[in-house]
């Protein structure tokens, strides 16, 4: 990719400078030497400073919907930066934020009534939990328990960690997290017992909220469960006046075939958390939406019933402009056709490899494909084969970041059939050599 001489000089030493000054996420410090310097990205490809062209098969942590450096989104960001780059959102408003809220409410489940802006997925979840807790507090009702699912991942801030799986990721912080009741993951053989356990917990009258990743647990290995299990849980929760929080940070904006995964369900959540694909992967932005009923106890002349939560960059106009541009692209027939095309390709490949001797399990939903590779160790995020799998695909210039021994494909919607076939071919090569 073209760049000027000054940029070239800087890029040549980028790796060294990075090692001296940057701490990367989810990366052991001794592994920083493996970090690849990029000169840019376009479409589904990442371009390294040494001339490699790497196919981004996971949408850069599931955020990129329309391909990297999309001109339509870039132009919207550029235009907004010349009009209003940022303003405090307490006491002011602006067109990008209002328009985005209106458009989201048009396509979200019909019971969603209001949009609250934050910065990312974790904070969208924090907002949801605080909304739910204060909903009861404002009414003078003591409900302090939360129900979540085993294997959940809702973010890395403290509230989000509290409602997430008590894995090795958060061991140093467990003493500081609030108590949560975890129900088993509703797998094929456990749906009846899950419903029974949930009913017992809900009947206590102490549960404030139920938070869940609808139908797919992302970080747990793209584990999938049917709406036929989730619907009864939501029904029971509603019967016991438990606020239902759908974490659609990963599953929103078409990833599972519908605009939002909650649309597969007969019962809709009271609160929804959105981020990742919200801006097409270009800017940090989070959204928490809620029903009119959730807002009701906040509508008071009593100052102490105000929702005292905010972020310095709440509803950043540039981020909102990017989100509006991403929505423009998402709602086109071309994009919707691409989602259906990717869904079909995944299902065809799933059928091809489902009975492979090296496949423990394979599953797909919408644009998400997950393959559990057989190893000598149990399936786990910490399965040591993860590093060798990552290196295998990177050697073929494909970015797949396995969750332990689970290889998943979650591409930008602009990926072509030929590019998907490159990914499938590499996966087949891996399975055949194992």
């Amino acid at each position: 990719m073209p760049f000027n001489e000054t940029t070239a000089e800087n890029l040549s030493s980028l790796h060294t400078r990075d090692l001296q000054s940057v701490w990367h996420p989810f990366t052991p410090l001794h592994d920083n030497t493996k970090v690849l310097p990029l000169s840019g990205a376009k479409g589904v490809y990442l371009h390294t400073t040494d001339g490699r062209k790497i196919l981004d098969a996971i949408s850069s942590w599931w955020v990129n919907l329309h391909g990297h450096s999309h001109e339509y989104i870039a132009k919207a960001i550029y235009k907004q930066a010349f009009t209003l780059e940022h303003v405090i959102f307490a006491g002011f408003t602006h067109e990008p934020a209002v328009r985005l809220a209106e458009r989201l409410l048009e396509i979200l489940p019909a019971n969603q009534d209001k949009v609250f802006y934050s910065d990312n997925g974790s904070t969208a979840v924090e907002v949801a939990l605080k909304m739910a807790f204060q909903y009861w507090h404002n009414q003078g009702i003591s409900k302090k328990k939360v129900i979540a699912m085993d294997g959940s991942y809702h973010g890395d801030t403290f509230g989000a960690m509290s409602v997430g799986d008590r894995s090795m990721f958060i061991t140093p912080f467990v003493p500081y997290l609030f108590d949560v009741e975890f129900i088993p993951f509703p797998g094929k053989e456990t749906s009846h017992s899950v419903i029974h356990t949930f009913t017992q917990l809900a009947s206590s009258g102490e549960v404030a909220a139920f938070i869940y990743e609808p139908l797919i647990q992302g970080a747990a290995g793209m584990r999938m469960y049917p709406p036929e299990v989730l619907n009864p849980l939501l029904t029971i929760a509603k019967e016991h006046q438990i606020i239902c929080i759908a974490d659609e940070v990963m599953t929103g904006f078409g990833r599972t075939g519908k605009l939002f995964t909650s649309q597969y369900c007969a019962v809709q959540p009271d609160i929804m958390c959105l981020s990742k694909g919200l801006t097409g992967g270009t800017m940090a932005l989070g959204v928490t939406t809620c029903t009119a009923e959730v807002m009701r106890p906040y509508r008071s002349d009593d100052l102490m019933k105000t929702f005292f939560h905010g972020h310095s960059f709440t509803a950043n106009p540039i981020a909102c402009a990017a989100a509006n541009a991403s929505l423009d692209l998402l709602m086109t027939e071309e994009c919707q056709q691409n989602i259906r095309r990717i869904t079909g390709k995944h299902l065809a490949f799933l059928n091809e490899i489902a009975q492979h001797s090296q496949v423990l399990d394979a599953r797909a939903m919408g644009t998400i494909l997950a393959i559990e590779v057989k190893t000598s160790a149990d399936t786990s995020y910490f399965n040591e084969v993860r590093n060798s799998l990552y290196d295998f695909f990177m050697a073929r210039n494909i970015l797949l970041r396995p969750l332990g021994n689970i290889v998943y494909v979650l591409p930008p919607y602009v990926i072509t059939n030929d590019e998907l076939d490159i990914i499938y071919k590499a996966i087949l090569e891996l399975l055949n050599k194992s």
Side-chain angles (χ1 to χ4, degrees):
M1 296 185 70
F3 47 87
N4 60 41
E5 292 181 5
T6 302
T7 303
E9 182 180 350
N10 289 336
L11 290 176
S12 67
S13 62
L14 192 58
H15 187 256
T16 301
R17 291 160 52 209
D18 178 277
L19 286 173
Q20 293 172 343
S21 59
V22 178
W23 194 344
H24 288 266
F26 291 93
T27 305
L29 288 177
H30 69 270
D31 276 355
N32 270 13
T33 55
K34 297 180 181 179
V35 171
L36 293 178
L38 296 181
S39 60
K42 187 68 176 177
V44 298
Y45 291 101
L46 308 174
H47 297 266
T48 67
T49 57
D50 61 358
R52 292 176 65 185
K53 185 180 174 185
I54 299 172
L55 202 166
D56 185 353
I58 60 167
S59 301
S60 288
W61 256 340
W62 323 341
V63 302
N64 191 286
L65 299 187
H66 311 294
H68 294 278
S69 304
H70 198 289
E71 291 185 6
Y72 184 78
I73 300 177
K75 287 177 181 177
I77 292 170
Y78 177 83
K79 181 179 178 181
Q80 185 59 47
F82 277 97
T83 305
L84 175 66
E85 85 299 345
H86 187 61
V87 67
I88 180 174
F89 206 58
F92 294 91
T93 192
H94 48 78
E95 175 66 21
V98 174
R99 181 166 177 257
L100 178 57
E102 291 171 340
R103 298 178 73 193
L104 288 173
L105 293 174
E106 286 176 359
I107 60 175
L108 284 163
N111 68 336
Q112 298 301 295
D113 188 68
K114 197 75 75 173
V115 169
F116 191 98
Y117 289 107
S118 60
D119 297 6
N120 56 54
S122 294
T123 53
V125 169
E126 295 286 330
V127 169
L129 292 170
K130 289 176 69 174
M131 275 184 182
F133 284 134
Q134 192 174 339
Y135 170 86
W136 298 112
H137 176 84
N138 280 5
Q139 299 176 80
I141 299 172
S142 179
K143 286 193 173 189
K144 298 179 180 179
K145 287 187 177 181
V146 176
I147 299 176
M149 286 186 186
D150 284 342
S152 296
Y153 175 80
H154 297 288
D156 295 328
T157 49
F158 270 85
M161 283 193 296
S162 293
V163 294
D165 192 60
R166 297 298 199 265
S167 68
M168 291 174 64
F169 281 120
I170 63 172
T171 298
F173 316 111
V174 168
Y176 312 104
L177 307 180
F178 59 76
D179 290 334
V180 173
E181 299 285 354
F182 289 94
I183 59 173
F185 176 77
K188 298 175 183 177
E189 308 299 328
T190 60
S191 59
H192 180 75
S193 62
V194 169
I195 293 171
H196 176 71
T197 301
F198 189 88
T199 302
Q200 288 185 313
L201 292 171
S203 300
S204 70
E206 300 175 352
V207 179
F210 167 45
I211 185 167
Y212 57 97
E213 295 162 274
L215 308 189
I216 301 182
Q217 286 189 334
M222 301 297 167
R223 297 200 297 181
M224 303 179 185
Y225 64 104
E228 289 75 20
V229 179
L230 184 55
N231 281 327
L233 300 181
L234 296 175
T235 299
I236 294 163
K238 300 279 188 176
E239 289 172 351
H240 290 87
Q241 296 184 306
I242 295 170
I243 293 177
C244 299
I245 303 172
D247 179 352
E248 294 233 29
V249 169
M250 187 271 285
T251 59
F253 303 104
R255 285 300 185 192
T256 61
K258 292 184 181 290
L259 286 175
F260 301 97
T261 307
S262 293
Q263 292 167 334
Y264 285 101
C265 300
V267 184
Q268 297 305 312
D270 303 296
I271 297 175
M272 296 181 69
C273 307
L274 308 172
S275 188
K276 288 195 182 291
L278 176 60
T279 66
T282 60
M283 302 284 291
L285 186 65
V287 156
T288 306
T289 68
C290 68
T291 64
E293 171 55 30
V294 169
M295 294 192 65
R296 181 182 55 78
Y298 294 90
R299 296 188 183 278
S300 171
D301 292 332
D302 183 351
L303 177 65
M304 298 314 297
K305 292 187 176 181
T306 302
F307 187 51
F308 290 112
H309 186 100
H311 301 271
S312 300
F313 289 96
T314 293
N316 174 261
I318 298 176
C320 289
N324 277 310
S326 179
L327 272 184
D328 289 344
L329 296 170
L330 178 66
M331 300 307 292
T332 62
E333 181 56 29
E334 179 183 7
C335 185
Q336 294 303 307
Q337 285 180 354
N338 282 340
I339 291 171
R340 293 190 289 270
R341 174 178 55 81
I342 295 167
T343 298
K345 289 279 289 182
H346 278 354
L347 289 174
F349 183 66
L350 177 70
N351 291 332
E352 180 182 348
I353 53 93
Q355 302 305 316
H356 196 286
S357 61
Q358 296 304 311
V359 173
L360 279 177
D361 187 42
R363 46 197 176 266
M365 186 176 189
T367 67
I368 303 170
L369 169 69
I371 301 161
E372 198 169 325
V373 179
K374 187 178 292 185
T375 69
S376 58
D378 292 338
T379 293
S380 165
Y381 183 95
F382 296 99
N383 189 309
E384 291 184 0
V385 75
R386 181 263 174 208
N387 289 337
S388 62
L389 293 178
Y390 179 82
D391 291 342
F392 176 88
F393 292 111
M394 284 298 288
R396 288 151 182 79
N397 289 322
I398 301 171
L399 173 58
L400 288 172
R401 190 179 170 90
L403 298 161
N405 59 311
I406 297 170
V407 175
Y408 70 90
V409 183
L410 205 163
Y413 300 149
V414 295
I415 195 168
T416 66
N417 286 344
D418 288 345
E419 289 161 343
L420 283 169
D421 287 339
I422 290 171
I423 299 168
Y424 300 152
K425 181 180 178 181
I427 293 173
L428 265 176
E429 183 185 351
L430 169 76
L431 295 175
N432 290 334
K433 74 181 282 290
S434 298

